Amino acid sequence: MDKELQRNLLIKSGVLKRSLKELQMYKLEVEKGEEKLKELGPEHDRYRQLQQALEESKSMILDTNNRLETAKEDLEELFERENLTEEYKDDKLCLEGVELISQANAMTV
């Protein structure tokens, strides 16, 4: 595998990996925020503030999901264009890329 192809694969895999982590983080943040709101109840002083933070996290899930889809499509396109699945099927970077694409398919909302 030439250096330019390896570099592109590293970059695109890194973007997808980061997007996956961000999506997981925002989903966990929403889950914890909803639990906290239930605990506090609407009469608590911070309820509205927490509700607003929860809404921001929910909107970030949609944004992150869009970026995740784009990163996944970019990596899939690289695999198709360079025929990486066949030519380098035992390469560590390619295996990691395939795994990241599978994770992205499972995570998309």
Side-chain angles (χ1 to χ4, degrees):
M1 182 180 314
D2 71 341
K3 289 191 183 247
E4 185 66 27
L5 179 58
Q6 191 174 22
R7 181 176 170 271
N8 281 336
L9 186 57
L10 273 171
I11 290 170
K12 291 182 186 307
S13 294
V15 169
L16 185 56
K17 188 184 291 187
R18 186 184 71 240
S19 296
L20 281 165
K21 281 184 177 183
E22 284 181 21
L23 185 59
Q24 290 172 337
M25 182 202 60
Y26 285 123
K27 284 183 175 184
L28 182 63
E29 198 173 286
V30 166
E31 190 177 295
K32 286 182 178 183
E34 287 173 343
E35 288 175 12
K36 187 77 170 173
L37 282 177
K38 285 179 185 176
E39 285 176 19
L40 293 178
E43 62 279 344
H44 197 276
D45 338 349
R46 293 191 50 218
Y47 186 83
R48 213 166 52 154
Q49 182 183 13
L50 289 172
Q51 195 173 27
Q52 184 179 10
L54 182 62
E55 290 304 314
E56 287 175 17
S57 294
K58 285 179 180 179
S59 70
M60 287 306 297
I61 287 176
L62 294 174
D63 179 56
T64 305
N65 193 57
N66 291 337
R67 286 186 284 121
L68 177 76
E69 274 296 317
T70 302
K72 180 184 71 122
E73 289 169 6
D74 287 349
L75 187 57
E76 286 174 331
E77 183 181 300
L78 180 67
F79 268 83
E80 286 176 26
R81 185 178 63 236
E82 300 294 336
N83 197 22
L84 293 178
T85 310
E86 293 300 316
E87 277 189 54
Y88 302 101
K89 62 182 174 188
D90 295 329
D91 185 78
K92 182 182 175 187
L93 283 175
C94 289
L95 293 173
E96 182 182 338
V98 169
E99 177 61 30
L100 288 170
I101 290 171
S102 297
Q103 289 176 15
N105 286 331
M107 287 285 294
T108 50
V109 180

